[in-house]
Amino acid sequence: MARVHNWQIGRDMSYWYPESRPKKQFAAVFDINKCIACQTCTLACKTTWTSGKGQEYMLWNNVESKPYGFYPLSWDLKLLQMLGAQQWQGGEYSGRTIFESAEAGQRVMGWLPDERDYAYPNVGEDDCAGQIDNGADLHVPHLTWFFYLARICNHCTYPACLASCPRGSIYKRPEDGIVLVDQGRCRGYRECVKGCPYKKVFYNPLTGTSEKCIACYPKGENSLQPQCFVNCIGKIRLAGFLSTPEAARPENPLDYLVHIRKVALPLFPQFGLEPNVYYIPPIHAPASFLHQMFGPGAEAAVRTYRAAADDQDLAGLLGLFGSTERTVPIWKREDDWIIGLDEQEKEILRVPLREPVHVRPAYDEKHQIARVNCP
């Protein structure tokens, strides 16, 4: 086992291969507070990549209702229970990762889902934590909560699927860090399915090989965002490239959200994979639940997000989400405009910091008619 540095857990850790970061790392930020669980992203991915035989159950993108939603069933709870107590000392994780917890002879601590675990993609949909007798009451909103969690492959810096594959058929592209499966080398051992803690690698029983999200890299090579991003009705997603903390650039949208403002956090950083999909935590869920899911920075991230209305830079950058199909590597604010630029600093788009509001008078002088609301 090699020793590598994982900045998300604030320390070095054990990993099967030496540290080898790509030239650029594909990454994304999801704003959970805007997700409406319409599943448009799920269908966009499904119709693009997994409509073939043997792929019927595959959802490279899915949206779950937390705390009771899972696909496959209990994908996170089972591993959290296996991992045991997960302690943080400030920003450093003092517990063991799934690589450090692996038994002798195993590369990664994991579990292999049963076929039935994939039979309920919408289990827990809109299920709340807590009950309100005799129906919902606007006066007691604190008694119940849930939120939607959109998930894709995290294209981790230290992928468990890559570490667990005995065939060496999984690799990270050096140009963008996207994790792919070489199906010519794959023999269908399903060690990658067992090893991935997020369960985002799937086995095709007809081809006998594993398959997974490819971050729509053919689009990325043309500076376009993935299908699930551009089809998102809630405009919750922003794709780009992420630097390491010491190399963060404020003009990079993802660096600004993840490293500068620290409003976007990784999913279960204690697993040790350094995932590259980041989430702005929901503002109404219990702090203890968010701490377990996103790490010790969750409460501060919620406070930062709540104050975005008074922060023109942060509010403006959030307005860029879903505003263009293009990848936006550079951004800036000029007065009341947020501008997205390409790598040559040529303007891609600009959006207003605040959308204009137009109030039409109740009486139309030109047409001599009163406007009324339709029943």
Side-chain angles (χ1 to χ4, degrees), residues 52-199:
K53 294 182 178 180
Q55 297 179 311
E56 291 83 359
Y57 80 104
M58 293 186 192
L59 295 176
W60 293 358
N61 177 109
N62 73 295
V63 182
E64 303 167 351
S65 295
K66 288 298 182 185
Y68 300 130
F70 318 91
Y71 188 74
L73 285 177
S74 300
W75 65 268
D76 50 357
L77 295 184
K78 289 184 180 180
L79 191 59
L80 289 169
Q81 186 176 22
M82 294 171 64
L83 198 59
Q86 300 130 55
Q87 300 295 328
W88 291 85
Q89 300 294 332
E92 180 176 329
Y93 177 57
S94 57
R96 294 190 299 172
T97 67
I98 64 172
F99 307 110
E100 298 163 338
S101 301
E103 297 179 359
Q106 298 290 320
R107 300 183 180 186
V108 180
M109 185 187 72
W111 64 279
L112 187 64
D114 186 83
E115 183 177 340
R116 291 171 295 179
D117 293 330
Y118 293 105
Y120 311 97
N122 288 99
V123 67
E125 184 80 6
D126 292 347
D127 281 354
C128 298
Q131 297 293 324
I132 301 177
D133 296 332
N134 302 317
D137 190 319
L138 293 178
H139 297 290
V140 285
H142 61 283
L143 291 182
T144 183
W145 62 273
F146 68 90
F147 64 87
Y148 301 121
L149 182 70
R151 298 203 302 122
I152 63 173
C153 170
N154 290 284
H155 297 280
C156 306
T157 302
Y158 305 113
C161 58
L162 187 156
S164 60
C165 179
R167 289 282 302 174
S169 60
I170 300 180
Y171 63 99
K172 281 179 71 69
R173 297 198 342 158
E175 62 267 38
D176 54 20
I178 292 174
V179 179
L180 300 177
V181 181
D182 182 347
Q183 293 178 317
R185 293 185 57 86
C186 180
R187 294 296 180 268
Y189 299 147
R190 294 193 293 173
E191 290 296 325
C192 54
V193 180
K194 178 182 177 182
C196 176
Y198 306 103
K199 299 306 170 207

Side-chain angles (χ1 to χ4, degrees), residues 29-35 146-149 257 261-267 278-287 289-306 318:
V29 172
F30 289 10
D31 185 351
I32 290 177
N33 295 281
K34 296 193 293 184
C35 182
F146 68 90
F147 64 87
Y148 301 121
L149 182 70
L257 295 169
R261 301 307 306 274
K262 295 180 171 58
V263 71
L265 305 172
L267 179 62
Y278 295 81
Y279 294 86
I280 299 176
I283 61 176
H284 59 280
F289 189 86
L290 298 181
H291 184 281
Q292 182 187 57
M293 180 167 281
F294 302 111
E299 290 183 79
V302 168
R303 289 195 298 269
T304 300
Y305 186 81
R306 282 183 175 274
L318 293 173

